[in-house]
Amino acid sequence: MATTTAPGGFTFAETSWRALGTYVQLGVADSGRLDEARARAEDLLAAVDLSCSRFRADSDLTRANLGAGSWVRVDPLLVAAVSAALDAAEETDGVVDPTLGRSLVALGYDADIGAVRSRPDDPAGVPLPAVPDAWRAVGLQDDAVLVPFGTALDLGATGKAFASDLLADDLADRGIACIVSLGGDISIGVPPALADGDGTGPVDWPVTIAELPDDPPVQTVLLDHGGLATSSVLGRHWNRGGRRVHHLIDPRTGRPAESVWRTVTVSAGCAVAANTATTASIVLGEDAPRWLAERDLAARLVDVDGGVTLVAGWPADDDLAAGGRS
């Protein structure tokens, strides 16, 4: 645990651990509530894993996929996560598609990334493009999901961001100002008292930008609400059929998206919105800056040669820069 005293009466503290197959970083503005926040986070993330993991035989998502073509009763948590994924598909007209589970399995991504990388290089599978508009046929009820026959849901594009938003909002409702990062999907929790203005003002959280977790930071931005996400083809990759592949699939081809951008970072109203934009940008390639600008989404894109493109007011230097503000 690290603790820092800052102006505004806040005593910041942070902690980190692993969950959902990635790293978790949790910071709170009141160090006296860090243990409470972490305990709540561990319980909530365990529930998300049990509901939403594609790699657990006992998860609700696995049961829903095995029952494709029929309604399957599931925890409402999975319904909420799938709803967020369908919103992402709607926003991107299917570029971010939650029905890519079979495409990912064909690429060899059928277990945690560590297990996939440890395997010998298997022959390449036949690419499986998404069934056109299958995501529109996903059915949701309060406690049930209908996966279209011949498809499988995968929440990899939005799942961690959904969990980050869920946790940040939960802690904020408990009066805990916080920042949550799940594998780089970042969400800010603003308690109602701070949102309404109780004299202390919003909490400014410094966020360092790097292409990979262990890389030196290239920039620092400040967030006081909303979310930020980074998608990259550099981290989650493996070998298949003698070539390197990654997890960001173009639903039109069933293959990894062509590498125009190696990293995209976006600030948006929540982590899911930010991650939706970063994932779409990787798939859209050269069209990504225009797509982001049309939606006024501040973004930093790094191409395969290291060139940087800034969109919609993303700061150009490494001064402490405001981000995520109205």
Side-chain angles (χ1 to χ4, degrees):
M1 180 185 80
T3 303
T4 304
T5 302
F10 300 116
T11 303
F12 297 115
E14 62 181 23
T15 184
S16 61
W17 69 100
R18 291 192 64 81
L20 304 182
T22 190
Y23 64 88
V24 184
Q25 293 175 306
L26 171 64
V28 298
D30 179 355
S31 61
R33 303 194 69 180
L34 182 64
D35 290 344
E36 173 192 353
R38 174 159 177 168
R40 178 59 181 166
E42 290 177 345
D43 288 346
L44 198 55
L45 295 180
V48 170
D49 190 51
L50 182 58
S51 295
C52 305
S53 174
R54 186 166 61 87
F55 306 134
R56 290 182 59 154
D58 61 344
S59 77
D60 284 7
L61 180 60
T62 296
R63 290 193 301 105
N65 282 335
L66 289 174
S70 303
W71 285 96
V72 177
R73 183 158 293 183
V74 298
D75 192 296
L77 195 56
L78 178 61
V79 175
V82 174
S83 178
L86 295 177
D87 287 345
E90 183 71 39
E91 170 64 24
T92 63
D93 196 24
V95 171
V96 180
D97 189 330
T99 65
L100 292 174
R102 297 181 70 195
S103 299
L104 287 162
V105 170
L107 275 175
Y109 192 16
D110 57 358
D112 182 81
I113 190 63
V116 172
R117 283 180 175 165
S118 68
R119 298 170 181 165
D121 183 11
D122 294 329
V126 176
L128 286 176
V131 177
D133 287 335
W135 59 271
R136 298 186 187 276
V138 175
L140 296 180
Q141 296 177 353
D142 290 344
D143 61 352
V145 171
L146 171 65
V147 178
F149 184 77
T151 72
L153 292 178
D154 172 75
L155 302 180
T158 56
K160 293 194 303 298
F162 166 80
S164 185
D165 285 334
L166 183 72
L167 177 54
D169 289 345
D170 181 87
L171 294 179
D173 288 344
R174 296 166 186 267
I176 302 174
C178 64
I179 182 170
V180 178
S181 175
L182 295 179
D185 290 342
I186 295 171
S187 188
I188 307 299
V190 182
L194 292 182
D196 295 339
D198 66 351
T200 59
V203 181
D204 287 322
W205 298 97
V207 176
T208 56
I209 307 300
E211 290 196 77
L212 291 172
D214 295 330
D215 285 355
V218 297
Q219 194 176 42
T220 301
V221 297
L222 289 178
L223 296 178
D224 64 8
H225 76 278
L228 183 145
T230 297
S231 290
S232 175
V233 302
L234 301 176
R236 202 170 301 179
H237 59 81
W238 63 99
N239 291 325
R240 183 76 168 179
R243 62 189 292 261
R244 175 165 154 161
V245 296
H246 61 77
H247 71 297
L248 296 173
I249 303 298
D250 186 333
R252 298 163 293 190
T253 66
R255 297 182 174 91
E258 293 296 326
S259 296
V260 174
W261 312 107
R262 70 189 193 196
T263 305
V264 179
T265 302
V266 173
S267 174
C270 63
V272 168
N275 190 277
T276 297
T278 58
T279 302
S281 295
I282 296 289
V283 177
L284 289 169
E286 293 179 353
D287 290 335
R290 175 191 55 78
W291 187 90
L292 291 163
E294 289 175 350
R295 289 156 179 77
D296 197 28
L297 291 170
R300 182 180 189 272
L301 302 92
V302 183
D303 65 31
V304 292
D305 296 319
V308 176
T309 298
L310 306 178
V311 177
W314 187 279
D317 55 35
D318 197 27
D319 294 335
L320 203 61
R325 296 190 177 188
S326 300

